[in-house]
Amino acid sequence: MQSYLDELKPDVNITSFKQKEYIIQKLRDRFMSYGYQQIQTPAFEPYDLYTTVTGTIHPDDMIKVMDPSGRVLVLRPDITIPITQKVASYVNHQSEELRYFYVLDVYRTTFNQQHDYEKTQAGIEFFGNETADSDAEVIALANQTLLDLKFKKFTIEIGHAAFFKEILEMVSISKEEKQLLKQFIQAKNIPGLEEFLHHLEIEESVKELIQEIPFLYGEPLKVIEKAKMLSLTKSMVEKLNRIKAIYETLSSYGYEEHVILDLGLINHMEYYSDVIFQGYIENIGKPILSGGRYDQLANQFHSSIPAIGFAFDVDLLVNQSPKQTDTLLNCTIQYNQSNKEKGIQTAQFLRKHNYSVTLSNEQQKVKSKYIIMLNKNSYTLSYQKDSYEVKSSNELLKIIQKLEGGN
């Protein structure tokens, strides 16, 4: 998370903080409109929680501390895992739907941008529903949230974690070679991929399938049709049919224009088991949100609960979202010792009507949208180059409301 008080540009920091609070409130409102309830996890978690779960954060990426008893703790590197553990502790099988959202900081050494190891994430976790409709609803929520934040050009890229995992199972290669293969596909490095496959002794049909993966990208129905022409297993075809069902439901929401299918999409969180997705906005090369289905994660906590979720990178949203104007007005009342009581009463009156008001001595220079001077039996309101004289605080309020367009 960005520091807001350690620079010598307080106006910039305050503006950025206000923008962040505005975005977080927008996210909260939208998440709650889909029936999600806010929860929180501890900032410090047992180190073992993450090292005993497969497919999670690499230990080198965690920030570790030791408590007075000698137990190793980590600053929260992930949010999905502790939430799943908590749910699994009181639900041992799929019995009901649970919808949670969070706005929390995560800590990893891999962030390390100007020694900043902290990022704010806002996301949702939907437990207890394993249908394609629930996948579509979650992706629709991500779409609608980006529209709430006034992003006009964005895409949600959908893939399937198990589709690529099944392809890897078809080839007998080392762990290091699998990692290299992932890198070629993720970067869509066609020459590198072809050179890599040339030296592998695998069936030609499998080689052809792998070579085609970087090209299985675009409008979902066309990509699915193209993919089905390749040598696929029955389970691969079923996965494509699942994606088709998700896309058709997203069309009912009216969000199909933002959706792209990428069968080469790879998420480094290995606990994802089925559909995965990432959100991109114009001119930004990294995802602004990512998520997917993780139906087997609860199994590692001795439970069986299907689940899907996603998280926004809030700090990236703050940097890239259209800047919002302040929701509170900036009024300054200038007073002297003889009319200080009147100034305080006027400030309290305007604050009760949800306006931002500061009190300032007449001798001080002020920078404010509205400046209110106190006269013996009236008020003078200055706004831009105009001045308005009114007799009462009620009249003062009406003038400000009129200048704000009746709000």
Side-chain angles (χ1 to χ4, degrees):
M1 185 178 69
Q2 178 182 348
S3 173
Y4 295 99
L5 297 175
D6 60 356
E7 299 178 6
L8 298 178
K9 296 180 180 179
D11 288 347
V12 174
N13 291 330
I14 290 169
T15 300
S16 184
F17 186 82
K18 286 182 178 179
Q19 180 75 356
K20 186 170 186 176
E21 289 299 297
Y22 169 85
I23 287 172
I24 288 174
Q25 190 57 53
K26 280 284 188 180
L27 295 171
R28 285 196 182 106
D29 291 345
R30 179 51 63 203
F31 293 163
M32 287 190 291
S33 78
Y34 275 66
Y36 290 83
Q37 301 179 70
Q38 187 166 8
I39 60 172
Q40 184 169 328
T41 68
F44 291 94
E45 295 277 11
Y47 177 62
D48 292 344
L49 172 62
Y50 296 94
T51 57
T52 57
V53 174
T54 59
T56 182
I57 312 297
H58 192 280
D60 291 345
D61 297 337
M62 302 181 199
I63 299 175
K64 308 169 190 71
V65 296
M66 190 172 291
D67 71 7
S69 69
R71 185 176 60 154
V72 179
L73 304 175
V74 293
L75 278 168
R76 183 197 306 115
D78 180 78
I79 302 171
T80 297
I81 290 172
I83 291 178
T84 302
Q85 182 201 39
K86 186 68 174 178
V87 171
S89 68
Y90 60 83
V91 179
N92 60 13
H93 64 280
Q94 178 181 351
S95 57
E96 62 177 319
E97 292 183 357
L98 301 172
R99 298 168 185 251
Y100 299 120
F101 81 89
Y102 56 84
V103 181
L104 295 168
D105 293 332
V106 292
Y107 308 85
R108 297 178 200 167
T109 60
T110 46
F111 295 153
N112 197 19
Q113 296 175 352
Q114 297 180 343
H115 306 290
D116 191 354
Y117 301 102
E118 178 182 11
K119 281 189 178 181
T120 303
Q121 291 185 353
I124 62 99
E125 311 291 353
F126 184 7
F127 295 92
N129 190 321
E130 58 186 355
T131 65
D133 285 347
S134 64
D135 294 343
E137 181 186 298
V138 166
I139 297 170
L141 171 54
N143 271 268
Q144 190 164 359
T145 306
L146 287 171
L147 291 171
D148 290 341
L149 296 174
K150 309 301 181 185
F151 289 108
K152 296 180 180 179
K153 295 183 179 181
F154 65 88
T155 58
I156 305 291
E157 295 185 359
I158 299 176
H160 201 292
F163 187 90
F164 183 70
K165 287 178 182 177
E166 188 164 344
I167 294 175
L168 288 180
E169 292 172 0
M170 295 178 176
V171 295
S172 299
I173 56 178
S174 67
K175 184 178 179 180
E176 291 73 20
E177 287 174 322
K178 286 182 180 180
Q179 189 60 38
L180 189 58
L181 177 58
K182 287 181 180 181
Q183 292 174 6
F184 285 134
I185 290 176
Q186 193 168 26
K188 301 193 185 303
N189 182 347
I190 310 302
L193 179 61
E194 291 178 348
E195 178 67 20
F196 176 79
L197 293 173
H198 179 71
H199 297 287
L200 294 182
E201 294 183 1
I202 58 177
E203 294 182 14
E204 284 301 317
S205 59
V206 176
K207 185 178 295 188
E208 179 187 358
L209 174 58
I210 296 174
Q211 287 177 327
E212 282 296 318
I213 289 178
F215 301 102
L216 297 177
Y217 176 94
E219 195 276 323
L221 296 182
K222 292 181 180 178
V223 172
I224 290 171
E225 183 180 357
K226 182 178 180 181
K228 286 185 176 181
M229 297 174 65
L230 300 169
S231 297
L232 304 181
T233 65
K234 181 180 177 181
S235 63
M236 285 180 174
V237 173
E238 290 173 351
K239 292 172 178 61
L240 292 178
N241 290 337
R242 169 87 173 207
I243 293 173
K244 182 180 179 182
I246 294 170
Y247 178 71
E248 289 173 344
T249 304
L250 280 170
S251 298
S252 298
Y253 283 95
Y255 296 140
E256 68 275 14
E257 65 178 293
H258 297 292
V259 177
I260 294 293
L261 176 56
D262 182 4
L263 290 177
L265 183 62
I266 297 171
N267 193 303
H268 295 294
M269 289 296 193
E270 294 293 330
Y271 55 66
Y272 287 117
S273 59
D274 296 270
V275 64
I276 53 176
F277 55 94
Q278 295 180 341
Y280 291 88
I281 58 176
E282 191 176 27
N283 300 323
I284 299 297
K286 55 185 177 180
I288 205 160
L289 72 94
S290 62
R293 178 164 286 282
Y294 48 98
D295 287 348
Q296 280 79 55
L297 181 58
N299 295 352
Q300 301 190 55
F301 302 110
H302 312 292
S303 186
S304 178
I305 312 169
I308 183 172
F310 70 81
F312 280 102
D313 183 333
V314 174
D315 300 298
L316 194 55
L317 283 176
V318 171
N319 292 333
Q320 302 302 324
S321 64
K323 296 299 179 280
Q324 307 298 324
T325 55
D326 291 343
T327 55
L328 294 178
L329 301 179
N330 188 1
C331 304
T332 297
I333 297 174
Q334 292 195 304
Y335 70 94
N336 55 41
Q337 289 304 309
S338 65
N339 55 28
K340 181 171 69 173
E341 183 176 351
K342 180 180 180 180
I344 293 172
Q345 291 173 350
T346 304
Q348 292 297 88
F349 172 77
L350 292 174
R351 287 166 182 157
K352 286 180 181 179
H353 288 83
N354 298 320
Y355 295 137
S356 172
V357 184
T358 57
L359 286 161
S360 175
N361 189 283
E362 287 181 351
Q363 305 302 318
Q364 294 175 314
K365 292 183 179 181
V366 295
K367 180 182 178 182
S368 185
K369 186 175 183 180
Y370 298 97
I371 298 176
I372 301 168
M373 298 292 296
L374 304 176
N375 308 318
K376 185 175 182 181
N377 296 309
S378 64
Y379 301 87
T380 300
L381 173 67
S382 297
Y383 171 66
Q384 296 180 352
K385 296 182 179 180
D386 298 323
S387 296
Y388 306 85
E389 188 163 345
V390 296
K391 298 294 184 182
S392 67
S393 56
N394 280 316
E395 290 181 45
L396 179 65
L397 175 62
K398 289 179 181 178
I399 290 290
I400 294 174
Q401 290 174 333
K402 184 177 180 181
L403 292 171
E404 290 296 309
N407 295 326

